[in-house]
Amino acid sequence: MSRTYRIKATQVLPVSQQQAWDYFSNPNNLQHITPPSMGFTVTSETDEGRIYPGLIIEYRIKPVLGIPVYWMTEITHVRPFEFFVDEQRYGPYSLWHHQHHFNPVAGGVEMTDIVHYRIPLGMLGDLANAMFVRRKLDTLFEYRRNIIPKLLLT
């Protein structure tokens, strides 16, 4: 079995908790905060653009060499304005558990993403993580760190 990896990314956004929640709880905004090179598109209907426990979201993503991959997640927990969790139901990981937290702080809201993930194929998956998966995820969160303030302030 592969190892379980963890990524934690935190940034302070100069917006209210309500503004942050309204933006990030809308699945239609996911493609705007994902690098264009990943070819990310939401392919499912997203019911009024708001999350709720049990919501299934389907995507197409091209994480490696432009090869399209189907990915399905479920929103499993929601505490409005504070946090939500999405978990993979089908896709490239053997485990994907992504927490999104929103805490008011001086000057805005602190947004924290905590991802636990595991790659299939045992030692080969661990090697893939060391060679490119972790870098790809770090690049994704770095992209978000740069693009999100611009999107929220326009």
Side-chain angles (χ1 to χ4, degrees), residues 51-66:
I51 59 167
Y52 55 85
L55 176 65
I56 297 291
I57 307 170
E58 296 173 283
Y59 326 88
R60 286 264 182 242
I61 190 165
K62 298 176 183 176
V64 180
L65 302 173

Side-chain angles (χ1 to χ4, degrees), residues 3 7-8 15-16 32 34 55 62 64 67 71 73 75 85 95 98-99 107 112 114 118 122 130 134 143 145 151:
R3 291 184 47 211
I7 293 177
K8 182 177 181 181
V15 297
S16 70
H32 304 298
T34 303
L55 176 65
K62 298 176 183 176
V64 180
I67 300 167
W71 197 359
T73 60
I75 303 299
V85 176
L95 169 74
H98 185 180
Q99 302 172 52
T112 302
I114 303 170
R118 191 176 307 133
R134 179 60 185 240
Y143 179 83
R145 190 174 348 276
L151 292 171

Side-chain angles (χ1 to χ4, degrees), residues 1-5 94 117-126:
M1 180 158 87
S2 297
R3 291 184 47 211
T4 300
Y5 299 96
S94 54
Y117 69 98
R118 191 176 307 133
I119 302 168
L121 305 175
M123 289 176 48
L124 288 175
D126 291 335

Side-chain angles (χ1 to χ4, degrees), residues 36-96:
S37 63
M38 296 181 82
F40 183 93
T41 54
V42 175
T43 59
S44 58
E45 296 292 322
T46 54
D47 298 337
E48 300 178 27
R50 293 288 167 244
I51 59 167
Y52 55 85
L55 176 65
I56 297 291
I57 307 170
E58 296 173 283
Y59 326 88
R60 286 264 182 242
I61 190 165
K62 298 176 183 176
V64 180
L65 302 173
I67 300 167
V69 174
Y70 171 75
W71 197 359
M72 176 195 287
T73 60
E74 178 182 358
I75 303 299
T76 58
H77 301 83
V78 177
R79 185 174 300 153
F81 309 105
E82 294 180 30
F83 76 90
F84 66 93
V85 176
D86 65 84
E87 297 181 32
Q88 177 185 282
R89 291 297 172 245
Y90 185 86
Y93 298 91
S94 54
L95 169 74
W96 178 268

